[in-house]
Amino acid sequence: VFTPFGQMVIAALIQVGGLGLMTFAVVTLIAVGSKISFLQQTAVKEAFNQTDTSSLVSTAKAVMVFALLVEIAGTLALGLYWLSELGWQQSFFHALFYTISAFNNAGFALSPDSLMPYVDDGFINLVITGLFITGGLGFSVWIDIVKKRRWQSLTAYSKTMLAGTLIINVIALLLIYAIEYSNPATLGNLDATGKWLASWFQAVTPRTAGFNTLDITALRDGSVTLMLLLMFIGGGSMSTASGIKLVTFIVLLLATYNYFRRDPAPTLFQRTIRQDTITKALALTLISAGVTWLAIFLLTITEHHASFLDVVFEAVSALGTVGLSRGLTSELSNAGEGIIIILMYVGRLGPLTLAYFLASPRQRRVRYPESKLPIG
């Protein structure tokens, strides 16, 4: 029910939030001829997940150019496809909004049923999922692909993101297809192609994309539980997605696997994973899980009329800035809305960012003897 002006304001906010305030800050400083200070370079380096400051300006420019090219292509493709259905003005307005929303993993739609009318439309399914997977992989991966152009030359991070995204998407696709195959409220009444398209869309959208082509409230509990994991994991670092990030999840899996093998140095694509990387992944996951638990605890008090599964889904979706809901959003109390707003804010900034901000760095000047504590 927003006016076209209101919708464009929302689209602009989605664009800024998706690409990151740091990207816009760097590009703006360049445009006005200002120099970036050392402290600013350090902050931007952390935001861009870079190891040195020499390529920050070129990285920021590359992010803007890449996003612009992808969104132009998406707008043209969707605009031309919707032309006969909506007319040129409305079709290209819809195309621009949906492209920005999809590429930046926002999930905002211009109708209350999201993309459900296109549940078995192959073109819409593939274009929209292509946009949010492209945005969710992360700009550093695409920059690496453009520069290296060969699998062997890619960084370990890029290889992990590409392989991990493929594996997790295929597993999610097969699981949702199997769970929902006979459900008359979801896949049951679709033809063979429609079943695969709907399964694919619901498999990839929870990793912070937010659109849906099936009624989320009609999904079986198995599918909902799978979506909870996917929403918690999210996309890639320096991407338009949120969550703890896919590589964080993979690093923890490898560290756990190597612990049972008594191997102190987990490796990934012939590269040893540093101990501080494992510690950072563990801290991020633990903080995210703790924030989620606290939000669920508070929501069960403020929204006592709602089912527990709906509350959990709402909280995990908010922290991952996914945007999917099982219908609880519109029924939230004022306190519940406040909790969800805070969760989305934490999820977009990143739990570690807030932890760094709140915690005071301190160098320990005294070292104590080690003690081995029983675990498990």
Side-chain angles (χ1 to χ4, degrees), residues 107 109 111-119 125 128 132 198 201-202 205-206 209-217 219 227 323-325:
S111 60
D113 54 1
S114 191
L115 292 170
M116 289 173 62
Y118 303 98
V119 62
N125 274 264
I128 295 293
F132 60 65
F201 200 98
Q202 266 55 232
T205 196
F211 292 105
N212 61 286
T213 58
L214 294 176
D215 184 359
I216 300 298
T217 61
L219 293 171
M227 281 186 164
L324 293 175
S325 175

Side-chain angles (χ1 to χ4, degrees), residues 279-281 283-285 287-288 346 349-358:
T279 304
K280 184 177 180 180
L284 171 59
T285 304
I287 293 172
S288 298
V346 172
L349 287 180
L352 275 186
T353 303
L354 288 179
Y356 285 141
F357 176 74
L358 295 174

